[in-house]
Amino acid sequence: MPASYETAVARMYALGHELADLASHKFDLEHMRVLLRALDHPERRFPSVLIAGTNGKGSTAATLASILQAAGLRTGLYTSPHLVRINERTVINGEVIDDEKFALVHDMVERTAERLIEDGELPWHPSFFEMLTAMSFEHFATSKLDIAVLEVGMGGRLDATNVVGPRVSVITDISLDHEKFLGNTVAEIAREKAGIIRPGGVVVTLPQSPAANDVIGNAILDQNATAVSAVAYVPPVRPASPQYFEFITEEFTAANSAAERRQSAAQGASPGKETHSRSAPEGRKRLVSRYPLEVMGKAILVETPLVGRHQLRNVALAIAAAEELSKQGFPVTAESIEQGIRHTCWPGRFQVVPAHDSTPEYILDVAHNPAGAWALRSTLSACYEDRRLIFVFGAMRDKAIAEMCEILFPLAECVIATQADNPRSATPQEIRDAASRMQIEIELSTDVPSALTRAREIASENRDGIIVITGSIYVVGEAMRTLGVSADGR
Protein backbone atom coordinates (compact mmCIF):
# COMPACT_ATOMS: atom_id res chain seq x y z
CA MET A 1 0.00 0.00 0.00
CA PRO A 2 1.44 3.44 -0.93
CA ALA A 3 2.69 5.62 1.91
CA SER A 4 0.63 8.61 2.99
CA TYR A 5 1.61 12.10 1.89
CA GLU A 6 2.91 12.92 5.37
CA THR A 7 5.05 9.77 5.37
CA ALA A 8 6.37 10.51 1.89
CA VAL A 9 7.41 14.05 2.89
CA ALA A 10 9.00 12.76 6.11
CA ARG A 11 11.00 10.18 4.16
CA MET A 12 12.16 12.84 1.73
CA TYR A 13 13.42 15.11 4.51
CA ALA A 14 15.04 12.15 6.25
CA LEU A 15 17.43 12.01 3.29
CA GLY A 16 19.00 15.21 4.61
CA HIS A 17 18.41 18.85 3.87
CA GLU A 18 19.63 20.27 0.58
CA LEU A 19 23.33 21.19 0.68
CA ALA A 20 23.64 20.28 4.38
CA ASP A 21 26.80 18.17 4.67
CA LEU A 22 26.40 17.27 1.00
CA ALA A 23 28.78 14.47 0.11
CA SER A 24 30.88 14.99 -2.99
CA HIS A 25 29.82 11.62 -4.37
CA LYS A 26 26.32 13.02 -4.91
CA PHE A 27 27.68 15.01 -7.84
CA ASP A 28 27.47 12.14 -10.29
CA LEU A 29 24.96 12.24 -13.12
CA GLU A 30 25.53 8.57 -13.92
CA HIS A 31 23.59 7.57 -10.80
CA MET A 32 20.73 9.85 -11.84
CA ARG A 33 20.73 8.23 -15.26
CA VAL A 34 20.58 4.74 -13.69
CA LEU A 35 17.51 5.77 -11.69
CA LEU A 36 15.78 7.35 -14.68
CA ARG A 37 16.56 4.36 -16.90
CA ALA A 38 14.84 2.11 -14.38
CA LEU A 39 11.82 4.45 -14.56
CA ASP A 40 11.75 4.09 -18.37
CA HIS A 41 13.33 7.48 -18.97
CA PRO A 42 10.56 9.92 -18.04
CA GLU A 43 12.89 12.83 -18.89
CA ARG A 44 12.72 11.83 -22.57
CA ARG A 45 8.93 11.84 -22.75
CA PHE A 46 8.42 15.61 -22.86
CA PRO A 47 10.28 18.50 -24.51
CA SER A 48 11.95 20.91 -22.11
CA VAL A 49 13.75 24.17 -21.52
CA LEU A 50 16.63 24.13 -19.02
CA ILE A 51 17.55 27.30 -17.10
CA ALA A 52 20.74 27.82 -15.09
CA GLY A 53 22.30 30.85 -13.41
CA THR A 54 23.05 32.34 -10.01
CA ASN A 55 20.24 34.87 -9.77
CA GLY A 56 17.02 35.14 -11.71
CA LYS A 57 16.67 31.60 -13.00
CA GLY A 58 13.49 31.00 -11.01
CA SER A 59 11.92 34.28 -12.14
CA THR A 60 12.87 33.52 -15.74
CA ALA A 61 11.45 30.01 -15.47
CA ALA A 62 8.17 31.18 -13.93
CA THR A 63 7.73 33.87 -16.59
CA LEU A 64 8.50 31.51 -19.47
CA ALA A 65 6.14 28.86 -18.10
CA SER A 66 3.36 31.44 -17.81
CA ILE A 67 3.97 32.53 -21.43
CA LEU A 68 3.81 28.94 -22.68
CA GLN A 69 0.64 28.29 -20.72
CA ALA A 70 -0.90 31.45 -22.20
CA ALA A 71 -0.02 30.02 -25.62
CA GLY A 72 -2.33 27.08 -24.88
CA LEU A 73 0.43 24.62 -24.04
CA ARG A 74 0.13 22.19 -21.14
CA THR A 75 3.23 23.38 -19.31
CA GLY A 76 5.21 21.89 -16.47
CA LEU A 77 7.40 23.99 -14.16
CA TYR A 78 10.06 22.53 -11.89
CA THR A 79 11.78 24.93 -9.47
CA SER A 80 13.66 24.88 -6.19
CA PRO A 81 13.71 25.39 -3.32
CA HIS A 82 10.13 25.83 -2.13
CA LEU A 83 8.76 28.57 0.10
CA VAL A 84 6.07 26.84 2.15
CA ARG A 85 5.31 23.32 0.88
CA ILE A 86 7.45 20.88 -1.05
CA ASN A 87 4.65 20.47 -3.63
CA GLU A 88 5.35 23.99 -4.94
CA ARG A 89 8.36 22.70 -6.84
CA THR A 90 6.29 20.60 -9.23
CA VAL A 91 3.63 22.53 -11.13
CA ILE A 92 1.49 21.93 -14.22
CA ASN A 93 -0.41 24.87 -15.70
CA GLY A 94 -0.10 26.78 -12.45
CA GLU A 95 -1.40 23.92 -10.28
CA VAL A 96 0.96 22.31 -7.79
CA ILE A 97 1.09 18.53 -7.61
CA ASP A 98 -1.58 17.37 -5.16
CA ASP A 99 -0.76 15.43 -2.01
CA GLU A 100 -2.12 12.10 -3.26
CA LYS A 101 -0.18 12.23 -6.50
CA PHE A 102 2.96 13.31 -4.65
CA ALA A 103 2.69 10.27 -2.36
CA LEU A 104 2.06 7.88 -5.25
CA VAL A 105 4.98 9.15 -7.32
CA HIS A 106 7.27 9.14 -4.29
CA ASP A 107 6.32 5.52 -3.57
CA MET A 108 7.12 4.51 -7.14
CA VAL A 109 10.51 6.25 -7.25
CA GLU A 110 11.42 5.11 -3.71
CA ARG A 111 10.69 1.45 -4.51
CA THR A 112 12.70 1.74 -7.70
CA ALA A 113 15.67 3.25 -5.86
CA GLU A 114 15.56 0.55 -3.17
CA ARG A 115 15.54 -2.21 -5.82
CA LEU A 116 18.51 -0.63 -7.61
CA ILE A 117 20.45 -0.51 -4.36
CA GLU A 118 19.63 -4.14 -3.58
CA ASP A 119 20.73 -5.20 -7.07
CA GLY A 120 23.97 -3.25 -6.76
CA GLU A 121 23.12 -0.87 -9.59
CA LEU A 122 23.20 2.11 -7.21
CA PRO A 123 25.87 2.36 -4.51
CA TRP A 124 23.70 4.51 -2.22
CA HIS A 125 20.27 6.05 -1.98
CA PRO A 126 19.56 9.01 -4.27
CA SER A 127 19.77 12.41 -2.56
CA PHE A 128 16.79 14.60 -1.68
CA PHE A 129 17.20 16.63 -4.87
CA GLU A 130 17.77 13.60 -7.08
CA MET A 131 14.63 11.97 -5.71
CA LEU A 132 12.51 15.08 -6.15
CA THR A 133 13.83 15.65 -9.67
CA ALA A 134 13.03 12.06 -10.67
CA MET A 135 9.58 12.37 -9.09
CA SER A 136 8.84 15.56 -11.00
CA PHE A 137 10.03 14.06 -14.27
CA GLU A 138 7.79 11.03 -13.69
CA HIS A 139 4.81 13.25 -12.88
CA PHE A 140 5.41 15.34 -16.00
CA ALA A 141 5.87 12.26 -18.20
CA THR A 142 2.54 10.75 -17.16
CA SER A 143 0.62 14.04 -17.39
CA LYS A 144 0.79 14.48 -21.17
CA LEU A 145 2.75 17.72 -21.13
CA ASP A 146 3.43 19.80 -24.20
CA ILE A 147 6.61 21.19 -22.63
CA ALA A 148 8.34 21.61 -19.26
CA VAL A 149 10.44 24.49 -17.95
CA LEU A 150 13.15 23.21 -15.61
CA GLU A 151 15.19 25.32 -13.21
CA VAL A 152 18.63 23.95 -12.41
CA GLY A 153 19.04 23.39 -8.68
CA MET A 154 22.70 24.37 -8.34
CA GLY A 155 25.46 24.72 -10.87
CA GLY A 156 24.47 23.00 -14.07
CA ARG A 157 27.08 20.58 -15.35
CA LEU A 158 26.44 17.97 -12.64
CA ASP A 159 22.99 19.04 -11.52
CA ALA A 160 20.35 16.31 -11.44
CA THR A 161 18.25 18.22 -13.98
CA ASN A 162 21.04 18.16 -16.55
CA VAL A 163 19.99 14.80 -17.98
CA VAL A 164 17.36 16.22 -20.33
CA GLY A 165 17.84 17.17 -23.96
CA PRO A 166 16.52 20.74 -23.81
CA ARG A 167 15.04 22.46 -26.83
CA VAL A 168 16.53 25.67 -25.45
CA SER A 169 19.10 26.32 -22.72
CA VAL A 170 18.95 29.63 -20.84
CA ILE A 171 21.74 31.11 -18.71
CA THR A 172 20.79 33.96 -16.37
CA ASP A 173 23.12 36.29 -14.48
CA ILE A 174 26.10 34.65 -12.80
CA SER A 175 27.79 35.83 -9.61
CA LEU A 176 29.54 34.36 -6.60
CA ASP A 177 27.39 31.88 -4.68
CA HIS A 178 27.77 28.28 -3.46
CA GLU A 179 31.55 28.68 -3.77
CA LYS A 180 32.06 25.57 -1.62
CA PHE A 181 30.58 23.47 -4.39
CA LEU A 182 31.00 25.45 -7.62
CA GLY A 183 34.29 27.34 -7.41
CA ASN A 184 35.78 30.49 -5.95
CA THR A 185 35.63 32.74 -9.01
CA VAL A 186 32.92 33.88 -11.39
CA ALA A 187 34.73 32.09 -14.21
CA GLU A 188 34.72 28.78 -12.34
CA ILE A 189 31.05 29.13 -11.48
CA ALA A 190 30.19 30.12 -15.06
CA ARG A 191 31.94 26.97 -16.27
CA GLU A 192 29.56 24.88 -14.19
CA LYS A 193 26.51 26.82 -15.41
CA ALA A 194 27.64 26.50 -19.04
CA GLY A 195 27.46 22.74 -18.61
CA ILE A 196 23.79 22.89 -19.70
CA ILE A 197 24.81 23.91 -23.24
CA ARG A 198 24.28 21.06 -25.72
CA PRO A 199 26.20 20.27 -28.91
CA GLY A 200 24.41 22.09 -31.71
CA GLY A 201 21.88 23.43 -29.24
CA VAL A 202 20.35 26.86 -28.69
CA VAL A 203 21.49 29.08 -25.81
CA VAL A 204 19.65 32.22 -24.72
CA THR A 205 21.63 34.64 -22.59
CA LEU A 206 22.54 38.27 -21.98
CA PRO A 207 25.90 40.03 -21.72
CA GLN A 208 27.15 40.14 -18.13
CA SER A 209 30.55 40.24 -16.43
CA PRO A 210 33.59 39.80 -18.69
CA ALA A 211 34.64 36.61 -16.86
CA ALA A 212 31.22 35.01 -17.34
CA ASN A 213 30.92 36.22 -20.94
CA ASP A 214 34.27 34.68 -21.82
CA VAL A 215 33.41 31.27 -20.38
CA ILE A 216 29.91 31.15 -21.86
CA GLY A 217 31.12 32.35 -25.26
CA ASN A 218 33.85 29.71 -25.42
CA ALA A 219 31.42 26.98 -24.32
CA ILE A 220 29.03 27.98 -27.11
CA LEU A 221 31.86 27.83 -29.65
CA ASP A 222 33.15 24.50 -28.33
CA GLN A 223 29.68 22.96 -28.57
CA ASN A 224 28.92 24.54 -31.96
CA ALA A 225 25.76 25.89 -30.36
CA THR A 226 23.66 28.83 -31.50
CA ALA A 227 23.71 31.89 -29.25
CA VAL A 228 20.52 33.93 -28.93
CA SER A 229 20.82 37.34 -27.27
CA ALA A 230 17.91 38.76 -25.29
CA VAL A 231 19.32 42.30 -25.47
CA ALA A 232 16.54 43.50 -27.79
CA TYR A 233 13.98 42.83 -25.06
CA VAL A 234 15.68 44.75 -22.23
CA PRO A 235 14.31 48.30 -21.99
CA PRO A 236 16.80 51.14 -21.39
CA VAL A 237 18.15 51.20 -17.83
CA ARG A 238 20.37 54.27 -17.99
CA PRO A 239 20.11 56.76 -15.09
CA ALA A 240 18.06 59.07 -17.28
CA SER A 241 15.71 56.26 -18.31
CA PRO A 242 12.12 56.32 -17.05
CA GLN A 243 11.14 54.44 -13.94
CA TYR A 244 9.28 51.29 -14.89
CA PHE A 245 7.71 50.61 -11.48
CA GLU A 246 4.22 51.81 -10.65
CA PHE A 247 1.33 50.94 -8.40
CA ILE A 248 -1.82 49.95 -10.23
CA THR A 249 -5.29 49.57 -8.78
CA GLU A 250 -6.79 46.14 -9.26
CA GLU A 251 -10.54 45.74 -9.14
CA PHE A 252 -11.60 43.45 -6.32
CA THR A 253 -14.22 40.84 -7.15
CA ALA A 254 -15.84 37.86 -5.45
CA ALA A 255 -13.83 35.68 -7.83
CA ASN A 256 -10.63 37.25 -6.49
CA SER A 257 -11.68 36.38 -2.97
CA ALA A 258 -12.47 32.77 -3.86
CA ALA A 259 -9.16 32.40 -5.69
CA GLU A 260 -7.34 33.77 -2.65
CA ARG A 261 -8.98 31.26 -0.34
CA ARG A 262 -8.01 28.42 -2.66
CA GLN A 263 -4.42 29.62 -2.91
CA SER A 264 -4.19 30.15 0.83
CA ALA A 265 -5.43 26.61 1.41
CA ALA A 266 -2.93 25.28 -1.12
CA GLN A 267 -0.17 27.07 0.79
CA GLY A 268 -1.20 25.30 3.97
CA ALA A 269 -2.49 28.40 5.77
CA SER A 270 -4.46 27.49 8.87
CA PRO A 271 -7.48 29.17 10.41
CA GLY A 272 -6.50 31.74 13.00
CA LYS A 273 -3.33 32.87 11.25
CA GLU A 274 -3.00 36.49 10.28
CA THR A 275 -4.12 36.92 6.68
CA HIS A 276 -4.05 39.80 4.26
CA SER A 277 -7.03 39.11 2.03
CA ARG A 278 -9.55 41.92 1.87
CA SER A 279 -13.07 41.16 3.03
CA ALA A 280 -14.82 44.05 1.29
CA PRO A 281 -15.17 44.78 -2.42
CA GLU A 282 -12.68 47.56 -2.96
CA GLY A 283 -9.67 48.36 -5.11
CA ARG A 284 -6.29 46.98 -4.26
CA LYS A 285 -2.95 48.49 -5.19
CA ARG A 286 -0.12 46.32 -6.37
CA LEU A 287 3.34 47.11 -7.69
CA VAL A 288 4.26 46.17 -11.25
CA SER A 289 6.89 46.92 -13.86
CA ARG A 290 5.33 48.31 -17.04
CA TYR A 291 6.89 49.31 -20.36
CA PRO A 292 6.23 49.05 -24.12
CA LEU A 293 8.20 46.58 -26.22
CA GLU A 294 8.26 45.24 -29.76
CA VAL A 295 8.12 41.45 -29.85
CA MET A 296 7.84 39.25 -32.93
CA GLY A 297 7.06 42.30 -35.04
CA LYS A 298 4.23 43.54 -32.83
CA ALA A 299 3.98 46.19 -30.13
CA ILE A 300 3.06 44.85 -26.70
CA LEU A 301 2.82 46.30 -23.22
CA VAL A 302 4.93 44.39 -20.73
CA GLU A 303 3.31 44.41 -17.32
CA THR A 304 4.99 42.09 -14.85
CA PRO A 305 4.54 41.62 -11.10
CA LEU A 306 8.28 40.94 -10.93
CA VAL A 307 9.69 44.38 -10.10
CA GLY A 308 13.23 45.67 -10.01
CA ARG A 309 15.74 46.49 -12.71
CA HIS A 310 17.22 43.00 -12.43
CA GLN A 311 13.83 41.54 -13.36
CA LEU A 312 13.89 43.44 -16.65
CA ARG A 313 16.71 41.10 -17.66
CA ASN A 314 14.90 37.98 -16.50
CA VAL A 315 11.74 38.90 -18.40
CA ALA A 316 13.85 39.58 -21.50
CA LEU A 317 15.41 36.12 -21.27
CA ALA A 318 11.97 34.54 -20.99
CA ILE A 319 10.74 36.47 -24.05
CA ALA A 320 13.77 35.47 -26.12
CA ALA A 321 13.38 31.82 -25.10
CA ALA A 322 9.67 31.91 -25.96
CA GLU A 323 10.40 33.42 -29.37
CA GLU A 324 13.00 30.75 -30.04
CA LEU A 325 10.43 28.05 -29.17
CA SER A 326 8.01 29.66 -31.62
CA LYS A 327 10.62 29.18 -34.34
CA GLN A 328 10.71 25.50 -33.38
CA GLY A 329 6.99 25.13 -33.98
CA PHE A 330 5.47 25.89 -30.59
CA PRO A 331 2.39 28.17 -30.92
CA VAL A 332 3.85 31.20 -29.14
CA THR A 333 2.64 34.62 -30.29
CA ALA A 334 3.26 38.21 -29.22
CA GLU A 335 -0.18 38.16 -27.59
CA SER A 336 0.60 35.05 -25.52
CA ILE A 337 3.91 36.61 -24.47
CA GLU A 338 2.12 39.76 -23.29
CA GLN A 339 -0.59 37.78 -21.47
CA GLY A 340 1.80 35.27 -19.94
CA ILE A 341 4.07 37.96 -18.52
CA ARG A 342 1.11 39.75 -16.95
CA HIS A 343 -0.11 36.60 -15.21
CA THR A 344 3.25 35.37 -13.93
CA CYS A 345 3.10 34.19 -10.33
CA TRP A 346 6.45 33.89 -8.58
CA PRO A 347 5.99 34.62 -4.87
CA GLY A 348 8.67 35.90 -2.54
CA ARG A 349 10.37 38.09 -5.14
CA PHE A 350 9.78 41.67 -4.04
CA GLN A 351 6.30 40.57 -3.10
CA VAL A 352 4.36 43.47 -1.62
CA VAL A 353 1.65 42.71 0.94
CA PRO A 354 -0.33 45.94 1.36
CA ALA A 355 -1.14 47.35 4.80
CA HIS A 356 -4.58 46.32 6.01
CA ASP A 357 -6.47 47.34 9.12
CA SER A 358 -3.92 47.11 11.94
CA THR A 359 -1.26 45.25 9.96
CA PRO A 360 1.66 47.10 8.32
CA GLU A 361 2.89 46.78 4.77
CA TYR A 362 5.27 43.87 4.16
CA ILE A 363 7.83 43.24 1.46
CA LEU A 364 9.08 39.67 1.03
CA ASP A 365 12.19 39.13 -1.05
CA VAL A 366 14.55 36.15 -1.22
CA ALA A 367 17.77 38.15 -1.55
CA HIS A 368 20.04 35.29 -0.54
CA ASN A 369 23.42 36.49 -1.86
CA PRO A 370 25.19 39.83 -2.52
CA ALA A 371 23.85 40.16 -6.06
CA GLY A 372 20.32 39.61 -4.77
CA ALA A 373 20.94 42.08 -1.96
CA TRP A 374 22.02 44.77 -4.44
CA ALA A 375 18.91 44.12 -6.51
CA LEU A 376 16.68 44.46 -3.44
CA ARG A 377 18.46 47.63 -2.34
CA SER A 378 18.04 49.18 -5.79
CA THR A 379 14.31 48.42 -5.89
CA LEU A 380 13.68 49.61 -2.34
CA SER A 381 15.52 52.85 -3.09
CA ALA A 382 13.48 53.40 -6.24
CA CYS A 383 10.06 52.57 -4.79
CA TYR A 384 10.26 53.37 -1.07
CA GLU A 385 12.86 56.11 -0.77
CA ASP A 386 10.99 58.08 1.91
CA ARG A 387 9.58 55.22 3.98
CA ARG A 388 10.79 53.75 7.29
CA LEU A 389 12.15 50.24 6.71
CA ILE A 390 12.28 47.59 9.44
CA PHE A 391 14.28 44.58 8.29
CA VAL A 392 13.68 41.01 9.40
CA PHE A 393 16.84 39.29 8.21
CA GLY A 394 18.09 35.73 8.33
CA ALA A 395 20.62 33.92 6.16
CA MET A 396 22.32 30.60 5.68
CA ARG A 397 25.67 30.25 7.42
CA ASP A 398 27.51 29.48 4.15
CA LYS A 399 26.44 32.76 2.53
CA ALA A 400 28.36 36.05 2.35
CA ILE A 401 26.48 37.45 5.34
CA ALA A 402 28.78 40.37 6.13
CA GLU A 403 28.63 41.63 2.55
CA MET A 404 24.85 41.27 2.41
CA CYS A 405 24.52 43.20 5.68
CA GLU A 406 26.72 46.01 4.37
CA ILE A 407 24.57 46.27 1.26
CA LEU A 408 21.14 46.18 2.89
CA PHE A 409 21.34 47.45 6.45
CA PRO A 410 22.15 51.12 5.61
CA LEU A 411 18.57 51.38 4.33
CA ALA A 412 17.07 50.16 7.60
CA GLU A 413 15.88 52.10 10.60
CA CYS A 414 16.43 48.92 12.59
CA VAL A 415 17.18 45.26 11.91
CA ILE A 416 15.84 42.15 13.60
CA ALA A 417 18.21 39.24 13.05
CA THR A 418 16.56 35.84 13.14
CA GLN A 419 16.94 32.32 11.80
CA ALA A 420 14.87 29.77 9.90
CA ASP A 421 14.32 26.23 11.11
CA ASN A 422 17.12 24.90 8.95
CA PRO A 423 20.46 23.29 9.94
CA ARG A 424 22.34 25.67 7.62
CA SER A 425 20.92 28.81 9.28
CA ALA A 426 23.28 31.34 10.82
CA THR A 427 22.27 32.23 14.37
CA PRO A 428 21.03 35.76 15.10
CA GLN A 429 24.22 36.39 17.06
CA GLU A 430 26.35 35.29 14.10
CA ILE A 431 24.48 37.78 11.93
CA ARG A 432 25.05 40.55 14.46
CA ASP A 433 28.75 39.64 14.61
CA ALA A 434 28.98 39.73 10.81
CA ALA A 435 27.53 43.25 10.83
CA SER A 436 29.65 44.46 13.73
CA ARG A 437 31.28 47.22 11.67
CA MET A 438 27.92 48.84 10.96
CA GLN A 439 26.44 51.57 13.09
CA ILE A 440 22.90 50.25 13.27
CA GLU A 441 20.65 48.80 15.91
CA ILE A 442 20.34 45.01 15.50
CA GLU A 443 17.91 43.12 17.71
CA LEU A 444 18.04 39.34 18.07
CA SER A 445 15.05 37.06 17.72
CA THR A 446 15.20 33.29 18.08
CA ASP A 447 12.72 32.45 15.32
CA VAL A 448 10.77 34.01 12.47
CA PRO A 449 7.35 34.27 14.20
CA SER A 450 8.82 36.15 17.17
CA ALA A 451 10.83 38.37 14.81
CA LEU A 452 7.64 39.31 12.98
CA THR A 453 5.89 40.10 16.24
CA ARG A 454 8.70 42.43 17.26
CA ALA A 455 8.80 44.04 13.80
CA ARG A 456 5.09 44.80 14.00
CA GLU A 457 5.58 46.44 17.38
CA ILE A 458 8.23 48.72 15.91
CA ALA A 459 6.19 49.45 12.78
CA SER A 460 3.12 50.34 14.87
CA GLU A 461 5.02 53.22 16.45
CA ASN A 462 4.70 54.99 13.12
CA ARG A 463 2.16 53.94 10.51
CA ASP A 464 4.65 54.77 7.79
CA GLY A 465 6.81 51.76 8.69
CA ILE A 466 7.32 48.89 6.23
CA ILE A 467 8.60 45.47 7.26
CA VAL A 468 11.10 43.98 4.81
CA ILE A 469 11.60 40.22 5.22
CA THR A 470 14.68 38.97 3.41
CA GLY A 471 18.04 37.20 3.40
CA SER A 472 16.95 33.62 2.81
CA ILE A 473 14.19 31.82 0.98
CA TYR A 474 13.60 29.78 4.13
CA VAL A 475 13.05 32.90 6.24
CA VAL A 476 10.65 34.28 3.64
CA GLY A 477 8.83 30.97 3.44
CA GLU A 478 8.37 30.76 7.20
CA ALA A 479 7.16 34.36 7.24
CA MET A 480 4.58 33.58 4.56
CA ARG A 481 3.39 30.58 6.55
CA THR A 482 3.17 32.64 9.74
CA LEU A 483 1.34 35.50 8.08
CA GLY A 484 -0.97 33.28 6.05
CA VAL A 485 0.06 35.08 2.88
CA SER A 486 -1.26 33.36 -0.24
CA ALA A 487 0.86 32.61 -3.26
CA ASP A 488 0.08 35.93 -4.93
CA GLY A 489 0.45 37.95 -1.73
CA ARG A 490 -3.10 39.25 -1.77
Side-chain angles (χ1 to χ4, degrees):
M1 181 176 178
S4 68
Y5 170 76
E6 290 76 15
T7 300
V9 172
R11 287 178 177 172
M12 285 293 295
Y13 283 126
L15 295 173
H17 210 285
E18 292 171 285
L19 302 186
D21 301 319
L22 188 62
S24 60
H25 63 235
K26 291 298 182 185
F27 291 101
D28 189 340
L29 283 186
E30 185 53 38
H31 298 151
M32 188 67 186
R33 294 190 179 102
V34 169
L35 176 60
L36 293 174
R37 183 168 63 243
L39 293 169
D40 194 25
H41 288 294
E43 81 284 4
R44 296 180 182 176
R45 286 183 262 153
F46 53 86
S48 61
V49 175
L50 190 57
I51 302 178
T54 304
N55 291 88
K57 59 185 186 292
S59 297
T60 303
T63 303
L64 178 58
S66 185
I67 290 171
L68 297 175
Q69 183 181 341
L73 297 167
R74 185 165 171 78
T75 305
L77 175 63
Y78 178 57
T79 57
S80 63
H82 59 274
L83 281 164
V84 179
R85 303 185 76 221
I86 195 171
N87 307 51
E88 298 166 28
R89 301 176 183 228
T90 308
V91 176
I92 297 178
N93 275 11
E95 297 290 330
V96 301
I97 184 172
D98 64 47
D99 294 356
E100 182 180 5
K101 182 67 173 178
F102 184 97
L104 287 171
V105 177
H106 172 269
D107 189 67
M108 177 184 181
V109 177
E110 176 69 19
R111 289 177 185 273
T112 302
E114 289 176 349
R115 177 177 59 78
L116 292 170
I117 295 169
E118 290 175 3
D119 294 345
E121 295 184 60
L122 281 180
W124 44 70
H125 196 286
S127 68
F128 175 97
F129 189 72
E130 288 167 336
M131 281 289 293
L132 199 53
T133 302
M135 289 166 58
S136 297
F137 287 174
E138 180 64 28
H139 179 52
F140 290 161
T142 57
S143 298
K144 295 182 171 55
L145 289 191
D146 294 311
I147 192 167
V149 180
L150 311 173
E151 178 192 0
V152 168
M154 184 182 69
R157 182 175 62 92
L158 296 176
D159 189 81
T161 60
N162 198 31
V163 293
V164 299
R167 294 293 188 93
V168 176
S169 298
V170 182
I171 299 179
T172 68
D173 290 344
I174 296 171
S175 61
L176 293 176
D177 199 11
H178 295 305
E179 292 97 322
K180 177 180 177 182
F181 307 105
L182 302 179
N184 296 314
T185 67
V186 168
E188 289 174 336
I189 294 172
R191 201 164 289 115
E192 293 297 318
K193 309 290 186 184
I196 69 168
I197 298 173
R198 296 293 185 269
V202 176
V203 187
V204 175
T205 190
L206 279 167
Q208 43 185 302
S209 71
N213 286 340
D214 185 58
V215 170
I216 294 169
N218 285 330
I220 290 171
L221 291 173
D222 291 344
Q223 297 285 7
N224 194 30
T226 299
V228 175
S229 173
V231 167
Y233 302 126
V234 181
V237 290
R238 298 181 299 274
S241 302
Q243 289 291 342
Y244 300 111
F245 321 132
E246 59 182 279
F247 282 96
I248 64 172
T249 301
E250 182 182 63
E251 182 180 354
F252 186 86
T253 66
N256 292 149
S257 181
E260 288 172 12
R261 289 194 296 272
R262 287 195 300 273
Q263 292 205 6
S264 184
Q267 289 278 339
S270 302
K273 290 184 179 178
E274 180 183 345
T275 61
H276 297 269
S277 297
R278 295 185 183 272
S279 56
E282 56 182 287
R284 179 196 291 114
K285 288 185 177 181
R286 64 187 180 95
L287 187 63
V288 299
S289 288
R290 179 185 278 177
Y291 47 94
L293 209 60
E294 183 173 315
V295 174
M296 299 175 70
K298 294 187 177 181
I300 69 169
L301 179 66
V302 172
E303 183 184 289
T304 173
L306 302 177
V307 298
R309 288 194 169 191
H310 60 297
Q311 294 289 9
L312 304 178
R313 293 172 61 84
N314 300 328
V315 171
L317 289 166
I319 293 172
E323 183 177 26
E324 185 57 37
L325 288 169
S326 76
K327 295 176 182 177
Q328 297 182 22
F330 291 90
V332 176
T333 63
E335 291 77 12
S336 60
I337 289 174
E338 182 178 52
Q339 181 183 352
I341 292 171
R342 182 176 293 115
H343 293 120
T344 300
C345 181
W346 191 229
R349 281 72 183 177
F350 209 88
Q351 182 174 350
V352 179
V353 182
H356 177 56
D357 294 338
S358 60
T359 63
E361 185 170 345
Y362 294 91
I363 294 171
L364 302 113
D365 191 87
V366 295
H368 59 90
N369 56 32
W374 276 118
L376 173 58
R377 176 171 175 161
S378 172
T379 310
L380 285 170
S381 298
C383 300
Y384 294 93
E385 184 178 9
D386 299 322
R387 300 289 295 276
R388 297 171 58 245
L389 303 180
I390 299 104
F391 274 68
V392 173
F393 180 88
M396 298 296 102
R397 186 176 288 110
D398 56 337
K399 298 290 184 174
I401 299 175
E403 187 175 353
M404 293 166 66
C405 293
E406 290 177 1
I407 295 167
L408 290 173
F409 290 4
L411 298 182
E413 178 176 286
C414 67
V415 175
I416 302 168
T418 189
Q419 66 184 98
D421 182 16
N422 184 300
R424 291 171 54 218
S425 291
T427 66
Q429 184 60 53
E430 286 172 332
I431 293 172
R432 177 188 272 174
D433 292 344
S436 60
R437 295 191 304 173
M438 306 193 64
Q439 301 299 314
I440 187 168
E441 176 187 356
I442 300 178
E443 297 188 19
L444 307 185
S445 191
T446 56
D447 54 50
V448 173
S450 60
L452 293 174
T453 298
R454 177 58 183 146
R456 282 193 296 272
E457 291 173 354
I458 298 171
S460 67
E461 297 170 3
N462 185 322
R463 295 193 64 183
D464 194 41
I466 297 175
I467 298 174
V468 181
I469 305 162
T470 189
S472 163
I473 193 168
Y474 304 105
V475 167
V476 171
E478 289 186 23
M480 290 178 68
R481 188 183 302 114
T482 301
L483 298 172
V485 174
S486 63
D488 60 3
R490 298 172 182 171

